[in-house]
């Protein structure tokens, strides 16, 4: 694979760095304000109409409500106007809100702070579509996962710092709330200053007529998102992740106080652990995905989220009763380390789950409608997070403990994830391809920039093993439809897998003329829809490791749909478990070549359809095999 600078290099580039620090300061301010306010009403003020157990839920719901009300309008404004202009407008608004919040902290005015919570939600609603629509406008496909990982990491580090600083300074006797007021206004001013350095990001649909009716526009946005079913199901997947995360984030103060018997510093520690976990998971995405949009990480993330959420229930049961533990007293108890490990790991896997989904939505959404698709995502997120607050509050009112709620959410996550992956098999297929290319083989790809990111193309490759298609899936940033010998569909497990991938079965014309013609009709249909089609022109898996004669079927496809052809060559795969060997068949003696066999894929430049002949393609593939 061609090497590229890693994601941290983006922080030295003006197209990304000022935007990163602007969103970082905004996220830090949101969370400093919210957590300081939550801690104040949980530990310091006695407000009869806002009991401590419900404070986090009420504040969280108020912050999320504007996403539901104004996301549709925000998405339109982001598509219509220069995104940099929008960012500076939003940062001006943040300064005004924080001045009101400072007055509220100074005077212990809970209604004013609740109003500012709602207004900061408006601020974040306006910023959300800009944040995610800007990235694909300034980053390439290879940078998109890394850029999203950096933003996700930055967001949660900002959450970490905001919550830690907010929790610590509000706890300072007598003057803590005054320090919070100064910090909120200061961060807003810093964010506005940095925003001045963001380069212009032109409007993608300047002629758009804005519909200010939130109900009709929200419905229109959801219908627009539903037009691309993979994108829409990904929106649902992200919204579920926010439902899952909101349960934990909203309950940390009460969990720390009532279950772990800790003080305000312990509540802050839980947020530190959670934020470090999700930031680490977000940064790992680029490394694990080989700098492509790798949605195979999503099922892996979902599994980890459930496993460690469920274990958190068991880890937090039966902890010895104690007074209000200080931070040092809390970490001195060994049982608490398991709780912290579960929080760190479930949040790490949440990072692996969310970043590829965000990148997929950005990559596959139409550019002129991208901000409105992101707005639809924010609307769904808001619905799910409000539902999270309502359901968690109802469960608490029914007498369920916080650890029991964590257990329920962990089990629900497993069910929801399985449902989504069955609805969108691409996630499951990419997960299998991801695992096979990293756990069974050490898979190295060279020339992957030759796979087009948009538009139809035919991929042709030598046929060495029963998992060739899986390895090609792992190498491609886009879904691939395969034309495959009908007999492979009879192979246990692999047959089911290829049916799930909607592979096109083909039989010899002499054996089944109708199936033969149907395969070419289906192949031409794939290309008409602008997708990638893969063919193994040898017609069967090699029996001796050498490249066989290429058959002429590809010419029939090109006659119907003339598109570029991308030659590929799998190398060092012959003799492995899934290939045949000269003295026997495939899939015998699992460790005949040891573990983690090195395997390669060489990808050549596109061949124009007018140049394509079977022997010419065979020569190109042979050259790639020898490279």
């Amino acid at each position: 694979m061609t090497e590229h600078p890693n994601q941290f290099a983006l922080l030295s580039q003006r197209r990304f760095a000022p935007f990163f620090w602007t969103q970082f300061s905004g996220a830090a301010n949101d969370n400093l304000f919210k957590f300081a306010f939550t801690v104040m009403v949980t530990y310091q003020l006695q407000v009869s109409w806002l009991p401590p157990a419900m404070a986090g839920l009420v504040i969280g719901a108020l912050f999320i409500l504007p996403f539901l009300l104004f996301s549709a309008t925000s998405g339109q404004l982001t598509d219509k106007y220069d995104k940099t202009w929008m960012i500076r407008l939003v940062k001006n608004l943040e300064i005004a809100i924080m001045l009101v919040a400072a007055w509220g902290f100074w005077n212990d005015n809970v209604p004013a702070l609740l109003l500012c919570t709602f207004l900061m939600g408006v601020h974040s609603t306006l910023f959300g579509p800009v944040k995610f629509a800007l990235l694909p406008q300034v980053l390439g496909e290879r940078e998109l996962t890394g850029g999203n990982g950096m933003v996700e990491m930055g967001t949660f580090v900002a959450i970490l710092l905001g919550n830690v600083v907010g929790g610590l300074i509000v706890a300072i006797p007598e003057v803590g709330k005054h320090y919070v007021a100064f910090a909120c206004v200061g961060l807003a001013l810093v964010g506005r200053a940095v925003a001045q350095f963001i380069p212009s990001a032109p409007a993608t649909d300047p002629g758009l007529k804005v519909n200010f009716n939130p109900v009709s526009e929200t419905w229109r946005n959801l219908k627009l998102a539903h037009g691309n079913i993979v994108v829409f199901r990904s929106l649902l997947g992200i919204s579920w992740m926010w439902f899952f995360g909101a349960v934990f984030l909203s309950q940390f103060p009460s969990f720390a106080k009532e279950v772990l018997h800790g003080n305000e510093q312990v509540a802050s520690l839980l947020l530190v652990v959670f934020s470090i976990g999700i930031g680490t998971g977000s940064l790992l995405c680029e490394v694990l995905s080989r700098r492509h949009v790798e949605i195979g990480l999503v099922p892996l993330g979902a599994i980890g989220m459930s496993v460690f959420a469920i274990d958190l229930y068991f880890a937090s049961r039966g902890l010895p009763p104690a007074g209000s533990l200080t931070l040092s007293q809390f970490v001195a108890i060994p049982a608490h380390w398991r709780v912290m490990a579960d929080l760190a790991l479930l949040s790490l896997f949440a990072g692996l789950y969310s970043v590829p989904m965000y990148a997929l939505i950005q990559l596959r959404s139409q550019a002129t409608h991208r901000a409105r698709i992101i707005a639809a995502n924010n609307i769904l997120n808001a619905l799910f997070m409000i539902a999270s607050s309502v359901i968690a509050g109802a469960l608490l009112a029914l007498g369920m403990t916080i650890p029991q709620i964590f257990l329920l959410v962990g089990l629900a996550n497993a069910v929801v994830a399985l449902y989504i992956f069955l609805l969108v098999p691409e996630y499951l297929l990419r997960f299998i391809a991801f695992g096979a290319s990293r756990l069974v083989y050490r898979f190295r790809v060279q020339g992957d920039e030759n796979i087009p990111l948009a538009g139809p193309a035919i991929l042709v490759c030598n046929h060495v093993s029963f998992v060739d298609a899986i390895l090609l899936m792992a190498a491609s940033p886009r879904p691939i439809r395969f034309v495959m010998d009908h007999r492979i569909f009879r192979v246990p497990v692999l047959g089911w897998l290829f049916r799930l991938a909607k592979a096109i079965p083909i039989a010899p014309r002499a054996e089944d003329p109708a199936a033969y013609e149907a395969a070419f009709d289906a192949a031409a249909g794939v290309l008409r829809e602008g997708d990638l089609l893969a063919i193994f022109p040898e017609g069967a898996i090699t029996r001796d490791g050498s490249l066989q004669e290429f058959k002429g079927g590809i010419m029939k496809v090109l006659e119907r749909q003339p598109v570029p052809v991308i030659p590929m060559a799998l190398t060092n795969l012959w003799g492995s478990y899934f290939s045949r060997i000269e003295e026997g068949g495939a899939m015998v003696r699992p460790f005949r070549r040891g573990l983690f066999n090195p395997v390669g894929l060489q990808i050549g430049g596109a061949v124009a359809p007018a140049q394509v002949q079977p022997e010419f393609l065979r020569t190109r593939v042979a050259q790639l095999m020898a490279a």
Side-chain angles (χ1 to χ4, degrees), residues 460 537 550-555 558-559 565 607-621:
V460 297
F550 277 22
K551 302 186 183 308
I554 189 171
M555 303 308 295
L558 289 173
E559 285 172 9
V565 177
V607 179
Q611 294 179 273
V612 172
Q613 290 296 328
E615 190 55 36
F616 175 74
L617 286 179
R618 184 179 181 279
T619 300
R620 292 291 296 271
V621 171

Side-chain angles (χ1 to χ4, degrees), residues 146-296:
N148 274 281
M150 289 294 291
V151 168
E152 196 82 348
M153 177 276 297
T155 298
F156 279 90
V157 170
I159 289 172
L160 161 62
L161 293 176
N163 283 296
V164 169
V165 172
L168 292 177
I169 64 179
V170 78
I172 298 172
E174 298 182 9
V175 294
K177 60 187 181 180
H178 301 156
Y179 290 166
V180 171
F182 287 123
C184 287
V185 175
L187 267 175
L189 291 170
V190 168
R192 177 60 184 89
V194 177
Q196 198 62 35
F197 296 95
I198 301 175
S200 175
T204 52
D205 191 4
L208 175 68
K209 184 176 180 181
V210 177
N211 173 17
F212 287 99
N213 183 327
V215 177
S216 64
E217 188 59 29
T218 294
W219 181 247
R220 185 183 303 172
N221 279 2
L222 292 173
K223 286 176 66 177
L224 183 66
H226 195 267
N228 184 325
I229 200 65
V230 172
V231 168
F232 184 72
R233 298 273 162 75
S234 299
L235 300 183
L236 292 177
I238 288 173
S239 296
W240 169 256
M241 191 274 292
W242 282 108
F243 179 105
F244 179 94
V247 170
F248 290 89
L249 289 169
S250 66
Q251 292 304 314
F252 278 165
S254 297
F255 182 58
K257 182 179 180 181
E258 298 170 13
V259 179
L260 303 179
H261 316 296
N263 63 8
E264 298 100 315
Q265 293 177 337
V266 174
S268 296
L269 175 65
L270 299 184
L271 284 155
V272 170
V273 170
F274 192 88
S275 300
I276 288 174
I278 204 160
T280 302
S282 299
L283 292 179
L284 278 175
C285 287
E286 187 188 55
V287 177
L288 295 174
S289 67
R290 298 193 178 113
R291 300 199 175 104
H292 278 304
V293 176
E294 179 52 83
I295 62 174

Side-chain angles (χ1 to χ4, degrees), residues 197-483:
F197 296 95
I198 301 175
S200 175
T204 52
D205 191 4
L208 175 68
K209 184 176 180 181
V210 177
N211 173 17
F212 287 99
N213 183 327
V215 177
S216 64
E217 188 59 29
T218 294
W219 181 247
R220 185 183 303 172
N221 279 2
L222 292 173
K223 286 176 66 177
L224 183 66
H226 195 267
N228 184 325
I229 200 65
V230 172
V231 168
F232 184 72
R233 298 273 162 75
S234 299
L235 300 183
L236 292 177
I238 288 173
S239 296
W240 169 256
M241 191 274 292
W242 282 108
F243 179 105
F244 179 94
V247 170
F248 290 89
L249 289 169
S250 66
Q251 292 304 314
F252 278 165
S254 297
F255 182 58
K257 182 179 180 181
E258 298 170 13
V259 179
L260 303 179
H261 316 296
N263 63 8
E264 298 100 315
Q265 293 177 337
V266 174
S268 296
L269 175 65
L270 299 184
L271 284 155
V272 170
V273 170
F274 192 88
S275 300
I276 288 174
I278 204 160
T280 302
S282 299
L283 292 179
L284 278 175
C285 287
E286 187 188 55
V287 177
L288 295 174
S289 67
R290 298 193 178 113
R291 300 199 175 104
H292 278 304
V293 176
E294 179 52 83
I295 62 174
L297 293 172
V298 175
L300 177 64
I303 292 168
M305 287 162 65
S306 281
V307 167
F308 293 106
I310 292 167
D311 192 67
L312 181 61
Y313 163 74
F314 293 103
S316 55
R317 282 199 318 167
L319 294 174
S324 184
L325 298 173
T326 65
L327 184 61
S328 59
Q329 291 170 334
F330 176 80
V331 298
I333 299 173
H336 293 157
W337 284 90
R338 181 178 169 189
V339 171
M340 290 188 289
D342 283 332
L343 280 175
L345 289 167
L346 79 84
S347 58
L348 183 150
F349 280 98
L352 293 180
Y353 175 95
S354 62
V355 168
M357 278 197 174
Y358 276 119
L360 178 75
I361 291 167
Q362 292 163 342
L363 189 64
R364 298 202 189 169
S365 297
Q366 189 177 340
T368 54
H369 295 74
R370 189 179 287 129
R372 279 166 281 175
I373 297 293
I374 300 298
N377 178 46
N378 290 340
I379 293 163
L380 290 170
N381 289 353
L383 288 169
F384 276 67
M385 292 174 77
I386 291 170
S388 167
S389 296
V390 170
I391 291 170
L395 293 174
L396 287 170
L398 290 172
M400 187 172 279
T401 66
I402 294 173
Q404 287 172 338
I405 292 173
F406 291 167
L407 173 65
L408 186 63
V409 170
L411 293 171
N413 181 68
V415 174
V416 170
L418 180 62
Y419 177 67
I420 290 173
F421 302 145
L422 290 176
L423 282 178
V424 188
E426 187 181 343
Y427 282 108
L428 186 58
L429 292 168
R430 295 291 304 202
F431 176 56
I432 293 168
F434 173 82
S437 63
R438 289 160 177 81
L439 300 178
V440 179
Y441 298 109
R442 283 190 289 120
F443 188 44
R444 181 172 176 81
V445 181
Q446 292 188 313
D448 52 348
E449 67 276 5
N450 291 318
I451 300 176
L453 298 178
I458 300 175
L459 314 179
V460 297
C461 189
N462 57 325
H463 206 358
V464 189
S465 78
F466 286 96
V467 294
D468 294 351
I470 293 172
L471 293 175
L472 295 193
M473 282 185 212
S476 173
R478 297 170 58 194
I480 304 173
R481 295 282 300 278
F482 292 87
V483 178

